[in-house]
Amino acid sequence: MRGIPVSRADFTASLVVFLVALPLCVGVAVASGVPAELGLITGIVGGIVAGLLPGSSLQVSGPAAGLTVLVYEAVALYGIGALGVLVLTAGALQVALGVMRLGRWFRAVSVAVVHGMLAGIGLVLISGQVYVLADATAPGSMGQKIAGLPGLLLGKGVSGPAVALGVGTVVVLTLWPKWRRAARVVPAPLVAVGLAAGATAVFGLPVRRLEVNGLLDAVQPPGIADWARLLEAGVLGTVLAFALIASAESLFSAAAVDRLHNGKRTDYDKELIAQGAGNAVCGVLGALPMTAVIVRSVANVQAGARTKASRILHGVWLLLFAAALPIALGIIPVAALAGVLVHAGYKLIPVRTLVPLWREHRGEAVVLAVTAGTIVATSLFEGVVVGLVLAVAKTAWDISHVHVEVEEGVGGVLRVRVAGNATFLRLPKLLDALDALPRDRVVELDLAGLRHTDHACAAALEGWAESHEARRDQETGAVSGSPR
């Protein structure tokens, strides 16, 4: 790669990301109802095209599970030929959003939401890949996958050799890094998958292996008739959904990745343009839409990547093996690749920080858990939206502090000082304090200490003043001396 230095760390990281990206590309394509090769094409474009463009240095793009259902429905409704038009148009819309500098708004992401996003993705990844690890048929919905786990553990529809390979892969991934000298030379995923492939070949194990055909035959550029589908209202809605969901996932991923390293921060607007350009190329090739994928991005950071060279190289490895050496990929057992993903999913869950977070910042822990749970129950996009809304509500509650101080003034007047942020969230507390004041006394409200008063509180304070005056006049028969 001319002009881009490739360090040893970037080279080894690219191999790790390649091994993580390979099953994701194939799995997302199959789940989306399209040939596996289209997922690989999107992974290649995400690595080389998006990787070369400015934006984020370390996050890696490719086909993502978050768009699987939407792609499946689009292919079923409009045909696989129209997929390229949808993706290309969505990419152009992303570029426009980046040019208008709308990507910067995604920088305001709560840490609890980011950790919840990582945990939710990890749980979704594990719950799906354990079936692949056992060479078992995975149920369709997430609820069915979770409900089927007890039967899977009891050996229902399980392949013993596949489980041995998958579990062995996870064990190697866990133990190999402890041998630090060796781990610096050869990354653990490469060792784990290599050993699994060798064992499968030597012992002739009856397990499912990766199947990849020629990439050129899978390329399906959109035709003239496919472009006419853009006149349909439903197609435009799908394009908008592609663009917004892909943009949100990519930029949320960028926020998460930036918190995992100390290097150069992401330029959100440039990253959005890069994602759009990559999707435009995917559309021309008739491939799947791409987003930044948090799983391979985290793997890239954890493998020690320093520059964008690692993500570009991972695209080169995908192209080399899928186009020139598809037979080489055929020796890799799918169970081993599933083991890599199960291990990666577990590392996304902040197990060690959950208990301390609950003890010290219970509200943040709730945001994390709700975000992760919603992702598991619905989708990545909906889970993040719910998490963001909950985080905003929590922040509004935390900053809505109202202090009420009462002191005796001249002539028996009660001076009530109200300070802080008076919002509807603290309105019950404020009204309780005011209602506890003696009804027969003159009250002087000092609101100079309020930094903010929303409409609900302003109206409530005005209403309380009027009602207090009426009650005091009723009880004392006084004509004057209303609250000031």
Side-chain angles (χ1 to χ4, degrees):
M1 292 175 294
R2 187 175 181 181
I4 301 178
V6 181
S7 66
R8 183 175 179 178
D10 288 325
F11 183 82
T12 56
S14 70
L15 294 175
V16 173
V17 179
F18 162 68
L19 291 174
V20 172
L22 184 61
L24 283 176
C25 292
V26 175
V28 170
V30 173
S32 300
V34 302
E37 292 78 15
L38 293 184
L40 290 170
I41 293 172
T42 299
I44 293 167
V45 173
I48 298 176
V49 176
L52 284 169
L53 296 175
S56 174
S57 297
L58 298 182
Q59 80 169 352
V60 186
S61 301
L67 288 170
T68 299
V69 175
L70 194 59
V71 172
Y72 184 88
E73 293 176 351
V75 171
L77 287 173
Y78 311 117
I80 194 170
L83 181 61
V85 174
L86 298 175
V87 177
L88 194 158
T89 310
L93 181 57
Q94 285 182 289
V95 172
L97 292 174
V99 171
M100 291 187 291
R101 301 182 66 81
L102 297 179
R104 296 175 296 168
W105 290 98
F106 289 86
R107 288 181 294 184
V109 181
S110 166
V111 175
V113 174
V114 172
H115 288 167
M117 180 182 73
L118 295 174
I121 293 173
L123 291 172
V124 171
L125 195 59
I126 292 172
S127 62
Q129 291 300 313
V130 289
Y131 288 92
V132 182
L133 183 148
D135 266 1
T137 302
S141 67
M142 179 57 60
Q144 292 172 333
K145 288 177 181 176
I146 296 175
L149 289 178
L152 191 70
L153 294 175
L154 294 175
K156 184 178 179 181
V158 168
S159 167
V163 171
L165 288 174
V167 173
T169 300
V170 175
V171 171
V172 172
L173 289 170
T174 304
L175 298 180
W176 184 259
K178 298 183 183 300
W179 188 7
R180 296 184 179 180
R181 180 176 300 178
R184 292 192 190 101
V185 179
V186 186
L190 187 59
V191 175
V193 174
L195 290 175
T200 302
V202 171
F203 298 105
L205 299 178
V207 296
R208 189 157 56 97
R209 305 185 189 188
L210 199 60
E211 295 181 6
V212 178
N213 298 316
L215 293 183
L216 293 179
D217 295 334
V219 174
Q220 301 183 26
I224 298 177
D226 297 320
W227 285 101
R229 306 301 293 265
L230 287 177
L231 299 176
E232 302 177 21
V235 171
L236 292 178
T238 302
V239 168
L240 184 61
F242 274 179
L244 293 181
I245 295 176
S247 300
E249 289 195 16
S250 295
L251 298 181
F252 287 148
S253 171
V257 172
D258 280 350
R259 288 187 169 95
L260 298 177
H261 66 90
N262 298 320
K264 185 179 179 181
R265 304 292 94 177
T266 298
D267 185 315
Y268 285 72
D269 298 314
K270 291 182 179 179
E271 178 64 18
L272 194 53
I273 294 173
Q275 293 294 323
N279 270 322
V281 174
C282 288
V284 170
L285 299 175
L288 291 173
M290 75 171 209
T291 71
V293 184
I294 190 65
V295 175
R296 64 188 74 177
S297 300
V298 172
N300 190 40
V301 174
Q302 292 177 342
R306 305 289 178 80
T307 68
K308 64 173 62 178
S310 61
R311 61 181 188 173
I312 299 172
L313 273 178
H314 115 275
V316 173
W317 303 143
L318 285 173
L319 176 61
L320 175 63
F321 281 90
L325 299 171
I327 298 177
L329 294 177
I331 68 172
I332 300 176
V334 175
L337 296 177
V340 173
L341 292 178
V342 168
H343 183 264
Y346 174 77
K347 294 179 71 173
L348 292 177
I349 304 173
V351 178
R352 296 182 179 179
T353 61
L354 286 178
V355 174
L357 186 64
W358 176 257
R359 291 174 179 172
E360 300 173 11
H361 304 283
R362 191 156 295 184
E364 295 291 310
V366 171
V367 173
L368 188 156
V370 171
T371 302
T374 306
I375 289 174
V376 172
T378 56
S379 68
L380 174 62
F381 183 72
E382 293 176 4
V384 171
V385 170
V386 169
L388 288 175
V389 171
L390 188 59
V392 170
K394 174 188 173 296
T395 301
W397 175 262
D398 289 342
I399 66 175
S400 297
H401 292 298
V402 176
H403 302 284
V404 180
E405 298 178 359
V406 181
E407 65 178 19
E408 191 80 23
V410 179
V413 176
L414 290 179
R415 293 182 177 178
V416 181
R417 293 188 178 90
V418 184
N421 295 296
T423 69
F424 70 95
L425 294 173
R426 299 293 183 174
L427 188 54
K429 174 184 177 180
L430 177 59
L431 292 179
D432 287 344
L434 294 176
D435 289 338
L437 298 174
R439 297 185 177 184
D440 58 345
R441 301 285 293 277
V442 177
V443 176
E444 181 180 299
L445 286 177
D446 181 4
L447 305 180
L450 284 177
R451 294 185 294 273
H452 171 74
T453 306
D454 65 9
H455 177 71
C457 280
L461 288 171
E462 183 179 350
W464 180 87
E466 293 175 356
S467 64
H468 180 81
E469 178 185 357
R471 288 195 303 267
R472 188 179 67 82
D473 288 346
Q474 184 179 4
E475 292 189 11
T476 63
V479 178
S480 59
S482 62
R484 300 188 293 275

